[in-house]
Amino acid sequence: MEAAGGGEAEAAEEEQVMSEVHLGCPPRFPGLFLSRFTFSSRPLDPPGGDDGERSDGCELVASTSSSCGSPDAVAVDADGDLVLDRRTRRIGDRRRRSEDLVLTVQHGVTSSLRSVGLQVWKAAMLLTDFVLHKSFTSSEFDGVTAMEIGAGTGLVGLAHARVARRIFITDRGTDILDNCLANVRLNSSMLKFDEAKVLVRELDWKMSWPPPVGTHDASDPSSIYFWSASEIKEAEQATLLFAADVIYSDDLTDLFFDTVRQLMSRGAKKVLYLTLEKRYNFSLDELDVVANGYKHFRSFFTVQDVSPGCGGQDNATLKPGLVGEQIDLARVPQYIREYDRGKDPEMWKLMYCPD
């Protein structure tokens, strides 16, 4: 998730925001936190009952020890005391636990709007569920080159790294990119992927595609996130793009779609899977409760009732640009246990139709 820019002197005093995913974390925790999200090759059963109990028999349990992959990352219990292991136990089914895989994510608990990429957001969990579902039920995503745009913690890219040929995890800002790289290293062993096929790279939406080519400079730690010419060519041959929770500011939405159009108009034919969470507030302009930025987001593409494409008679009247289809979330089972999907997230499949 690309964070909003700005060089105001009072930036340090910005209001802090917190993702619902982190509600079990200590809200004033300094530095970075370590959470573990569990999943297996079988999706969860639908939630049952009005009391919030789950029909799959999972419960949140605290571990007696923690193995943090970073000196800044710790685990705490549900009351905010050290040690919480955000894993679930399936009551009465110990054998199932041995089948679990764990996504270990280093993240901030709260952040300013400029640094929201350090948090895990619900839309990223949804898109990760989608990637896991594809990897468990088909070979559609196997062996492809893909890019996560505005990756934040890199959660979606990590899930796809299990089956990808190459995955570019992109965002801007050394703090966010450093955290992405830490998450790659935390997960490569558990998820059994080669770290060499995961490239963390800086992609600033304020700069037109392609990004500038740079070389590694030992005196500049951020230079490890520079692109090479060959990597840019490889990225343009990507067939899959992912973006989660990048729609929250009209200005950034403009920059995001400028980048997407430039990238999708080059190289191989691409599909963008995008998830967002509609956040409702009262608008004085419309005197109604509206989802901030949603109408602006929808203005960037033409909606189709069937799977989007750019050929054939059905699309003969389409204007050049992006076409999209909203994906029914009933088709996306939940695999990750430690979040409540709710009713506000949406998922879209977008394709680019050239002139």
Side-chain angles (χ1 to χ4, degrees):
M1 177 185 299
E2 176 139 333
E8 296 84 354
E10 63 273 13
E13 302 299 325
E14 286 182 325
E15 181 180 356
Q16 297 289 294
V17 295
M18 182 178 185
S19 167
E20 289 183 19
V21 176
H22 304 325
L23 289 180
C25 303
R28 294 178 180 84
F29 184 81
L32 298 175
F33 193 85
L34 202 72
S35 291
R36 296 178 178 89
F37 300 100
T38 52
F39 64 95
S40 74
S41 59
R42 289 185 290 177
L44 302 181
D45 297 328
D50 295 331
D51 57 0
E53 293 184 1
R54 302 170 71 149
S55 60
D56 65 355
C58 290
E59 64 174 358
L60 189 66
V61 297
S63 69
T64 56
S65 63
S66 172
S67 55
C68 300
S70 163
D72 295 324
V74 301
V76 297
D77 68 16
D79 296 321
D81 301 320
L82 300 174
V83 176
L84 171 69
D85 190 350
R86 291 165 67 103
R87 292 179 293 181
T88 56
R89 177 171 61 204
R90 178 171 295 280
I91 304 171
D93 189 358
R94 298 300 179 93
R95 290 178 301 173
R96 175 65 182 273
R97 292 186 67 190
S98 65
E99 302 172 9
D100 287 348
L101 294 173
V102 180
L103 269 165
T104 303
V105 182
Q106 181 175 275
H107 62 87
V109 175
T110 63
S111 70
S112 67
L113 285 175
R114 296 188 307 148
S115 299
V116 289
L118 289 174
Q119 295 195 58
V120 180
W121 298 90
K122 191 179 294 187
M125 305 290 273
L126 168 60
L127 191 51
T128 301
D129 274 335
F130 175 74
V131 171
L132 292 174
H133 184 58
K134 287 290 188 180
S135 70
F136 289 138
T137 62
S138 76
S139 59
E140 184 180 347
F141 286 3
D142 292 6
V144 305
T145 297
M147 180 188 296
E148 185 179 5
I149 305 173
T153 61
L155 183 65
V156 178
L158 293 172
H160 188 238
R162 299 170 56 251
V163 298
R165 188 190 75 83
R166 170 79 80 193
I167 175 72
F168 292 90
I169 295 179
T170 70
D171 212 309
R172 68 179 290 270
T174 303
D175 55 343
I176 292 176
L177 296 171
D178 284 347
N179 193 53
C180 282
L181 185 57
N183 284 330
V184 171
R185 292 168 176 167
L186 282 168
N187 286 277
S188 59
S189 178
M190 167 60 75
L191 300 184
K192 297 181 174 61
F193 64 78
D194 182 358
E195 291 181 14
K197 70 178 180 180
V198 182
L199 296 181
V200 177
R201 294 292 180 264
E202 182 154 40
L203 183 59
D204 189 341
W205 305 343
K206 295 178 182 178
M207 304 177 66
S208 61
W209 181 271
V213 173
T215 57
H216 179 62
D217 180 352
S219 66
D220 180 7
S222 67
S223 67
I224 63 172
Y225 306 121
F226 291 171
W227 294 77
S228 70
S230 61
E231 289 168 355
I232 291 173
K233 290 181 180 179
E234 185 177 11
E236 290 179 350
Q237 295 305 313
T239 55
L240 280 176
L241 304 178
F242 301 113
D245 221 332
V246 296
I247 307 300
Y248 56 95
S249 157
D250 286 356
D251 290 341
L252 283 178
T253 299
D254 293 342
L255 295 172
F256 169 76
F257 276 106
D258 283 346
T259 298
V260 164
R261 280 191 292 244
Q262 292 164 10
L263 182 56
M264 296 186 80
S265 64
R266 296 169 177 256
K269 184 177 180 181
K270 300 171 179 61
V271 175
L272 167 64
Y273 290 100
L274 181 148
T275 55
L276 71 153
E277 185 177 358
K278 297 169 73 174
R279 297 179 175 90
Y280 294 92
N281 289 285
F282 184 80
S283 168
L284 291 175
D285 293 334
E286 302 189 33
L287 296 179
D288 198 0
V289 176
V290 298
N292 289 342
Y294 185 73
K295 183 182 295 185
H296 189 62
F297 158 72
R298 289 288 299 269
S299 71
F300 284 92
F301 56 91
T302 303
V303 177
Q304 288 187 273
D305 294 330
V306 296
S307 184
C310 301
Q313 294 181 344
D314 290 343
N315 300 305
T317 60
L318 284 177
K319 297 179 181 179
L322 293 168
V323 295
E325 171 201 9
Q326 186 172 358
I327 294 178
D328 181 0
L329 296 190
R331 294 162 46 194
V332 186
Q334 183 168 339
Y335 288 83
I336 299 177
R337 300 190 180 107
E338 293 83 0
Y339 84 108
D340 178 10
R341 184 177 291 180
K343 298 180 180 180
D344 293 333
E346 285 189 1
M347 182 169 182
W348 291 84
K349 177 182 180 180
L350 301 178
M351 293 185 67
Y352 178 78
C353 293
D355 294 341

